[in-house]
Amino acid sequence: MMNRFRAAACVLLVAVSPPLLALAQRGGDRPAPRAAAPPPAPRAAAPAPAPRAAAPVNPGGFNLQRDIAPRAAAPAPAPRAAAPRATAPVARSGAPGRGGGTVAYGHPSFTANTVGGPARDRFKGPVIRNARASGGNYGWNHGVAWQPAPIYWGGGFWGSFAIASLGGYGAYGDYEDAQDQLEYPSYEVSPDTPGAQLLADYNLQQTPCGPPNLVVIWGPDNSVICANPNDQVGPGDYEVDPETFTLISASPSP
Amino acid sequence: MSGSGIKAVLALVVAAVVWAAVPARAEGVTRIQQADGKTEVYRHVTIRVRGQTLVLSSSDRKGVLEVTSDACTYLAGLKRCLPYRTVYYDRGTAHTVVLEHGTVYTNVTDGPVQLPHSADRLGPHEVLVLLHTMRGTYLSVTGSVDQIK
């Protein structure tokens, strides 16, 4: 009889030990502070700003308490005398990426009215064929539709320029619209982006916007870049057709 | 011990062995660096993909972070997208985390792929999420996708 009980106890021990071992391997629910090598940070190490008020103790989950805490009321901005600066997509209501709290994020269309700057209604001229782009819609992007991401200048077409910190990038010239008294700042196109690929397809070399007789290319959300004309693309205003990855020229002003 | 008791114990043994044999999933690792430099690492984060949204769940299931991206491009086996909306569900309550910028890389191949401008590689079907919030928090996530909806 005792042997039976011993055998049963052994079986129970065997039954209980694997889950306990597995639990020990999987670890607890709490985060392990300062463990293991972290994956690379997106940029240089974070700056060390002045310490803020202590964040509340993390009650579980991810510690994003600082990011979800209500924002302190900001002082009213001083009035600026400078000409209005069209850092797209500021023109849209409720520009994302600014301020705290709940933000309504629109999903801008590549061909919405925020494209094309002052020439937006005139892109009815000839299409300059892209000889290097793959066939089919969005063939240049493996057939996957490309949609702009709202918190980036040009939706991220020319690079991942965060609208919230555009001032830190340094403008690459300005397109000035004398009629509307607006300036459209331009930025240097990042490598490995759709914009860089487009320029390469047309053998275009980017140059700062401002001087006359340049190739002016309008991307999503009133983003604009300029390039020196070449034997494929003459000076003038152009809009990008994202599906075919071609340039559509603006018809002459009336 | 009766026969039914022994059967119950045996069933328990079999169940325990099967449970232990199933590989533990949710091996994502999340690192959060606060603006003041304080860093925490969270293990066993579940990574799900729902359309253009990555859903990251903490191991204690009290926090869920949804990262929605767009502007996706493909280069050499990598899908690179720009995140623009982040919602953190703290015990079910939604809070918008305002992003400054970020990048989401997904290895869409069955082999390792070199990350651009980096010495690191991304394993097959692994994701790397890098976020910088408007409040100065750096957040990174690495791991394999546990579920695609």
Side-chain angles (χ1 to χ4, degrees):
Chain A
M1 192 65 178
M2 269 314 271
N3 282 343
R4 276 188 152 191
F5 276 123
R6 277 182 190 162
C10 284
V11 168
L12 264 176
L13 192 66
V14 169
V16 168
S17 54
L20 287 179
L21 278 171
L23 264 181
Q25 285 167 357
R26 289 174 190 217
D29 284 340
R30 302 297 302 164
R34 299 175 188 283
R43 301 239 170 138
R52 299 179 190 177
V57 176
N58 182 21
F62 302 119
N63 186 1
L64 290 167
Q65 303 305 313
R66 287 172 195 267
D67 288 277
I68 64 176
R71 193 181 181 86
R80 295 169 67 179
R85 206 170 167 83
T87 48
V90 165
R92 293 202 310 271
S93 60
R98 294 179 186 275
T102 304
V103 179
Y105 289 85
H107 199 136
S109 163
F110 204 117
T111 53
N113 288 334
T114 55
V115 174
R120 63 177 170 270
D121 295 325
R122 295 195 291 114
F123 293 104
K124 295 162 186 166
V127 175
I128 302 180
R129 197 172 71 87
N130 186 337
R132 291 200 206 166
S134 304
N137 284 355
Y138 296 100
W140 62 275
N141 198 31
H142 296 257
V144 180
W146 190 95
Q147 291 287 340
I151 65 169
Y152 303 88
W153 176 72
F157 188 81
W158 312 105
S160 56
F161 300 95
I163 290 171
S165 53
L166 272 181
Y169 296 120
Y172 203 60
D174 279 303
Y175 180 97
E176 291 188 21
D177 177 22
Q179 193 174 348
D180 291 343
Q181 295 290 302
L182 282 174
E183 287 180 5
Y184 296 82
S186 184
Y187 299 90
E188 194 166 5
V189 178
S190 300
D192 300 330
T193 59
Q197 189 182 333
L198 182 83
L199 291 177
D201 284 358
Y202 285 98
N203 285 320
L204 288 168
Q205 183 75 42
Q206 190 187 6
T207 189
C209 290
N213 299 322
L214 294 179
V215 176
V216 179
I217 303 174
W218 294 93
D221 303 337
N222 277 335
S223 60
V224 62
I225 64 121
C226 298
N228 290 308
N230 62 16
D231 57 346
Q232 294 181 59
V233 190
D237 283 44
Y238 299 85
E239 185 185 48
V240 181
D241 179 348
E243 287 189 18
T244 56
F245 220 47
T246 52
L247 295 174
I248 307 168
S249 58
S251 50
S253 300
Chain B
M1 186 178 275
S2 67
S4 61
I6 291 174
K7 279 182 185 171
V9 169
L10 281 175
L12 202 67
V13 170
V14 170
V17 168
V18 168
W19 189 84
V22 172
R25 299 189 65 168
E27 291 304 320
V29 177
T30 297
R31 173 182 177 270
I32 296 178
Q33 181 179 322
Q34 308 290 340
D36 60 7
K38 187 184 169 195
T39 304
E40 288 160 305
V41 177
Y42 302 81
R43 301 186 181 284
H44 311 298
V45 173
T46 306
I47 303 174
R48 297 185 182 90
V49 176
R50 204 167 55 207
Q52 290 292 75
T53 302
L54 272 177
V55 183
L56 313 166
S57 307
S58 65
S59 60
D60 61 6
R61 299 180 188 277
K62 289 177 181 171
V64 176
L65 190 66
E66 288 187 354
V67 182
T68 305
S69 307
D70 231 321
C72 299
T73 50
Y74 295 80
L75 54 141
L78 275 183
K79 178 184 176 188
R80 182 178 60 189
C81 303
L82 300 181
Y84 63 91
R85 179 172 59 196
T86 307
V87 179
Y88 180 55
Y89 292 89
D90 185 15
R91 296 166 188 258
T93 306
H95 303 272
T96 298
V97 174
V98 184
L99 279 183
E100 194 212 29
H101 71 275
T103 312
V104 176
Y105 294 99
T106 307
N107 180 351
V108 294
T109 72
D110 294 327
V113 171
Q114 191 83 30
L115 286 164
H117 316 297
S118 168
D120 285 350
R121 287 176 160 200
L122 213 53
H125 305 287
E126 278 188 355
V127 295
L128 168 63
V129 182
L130 304 165
L131 305 176
H132 186 211
T133 73
M134 288 291 280
R135 299 265 176 108
T137 305
Y138 283 101
L139 187 146
S140 66
V141 186
T142 49
S144 299
V145 175
D146 293 298
Q147 187 185 55
I148 299 175
K149 283 188 180 176

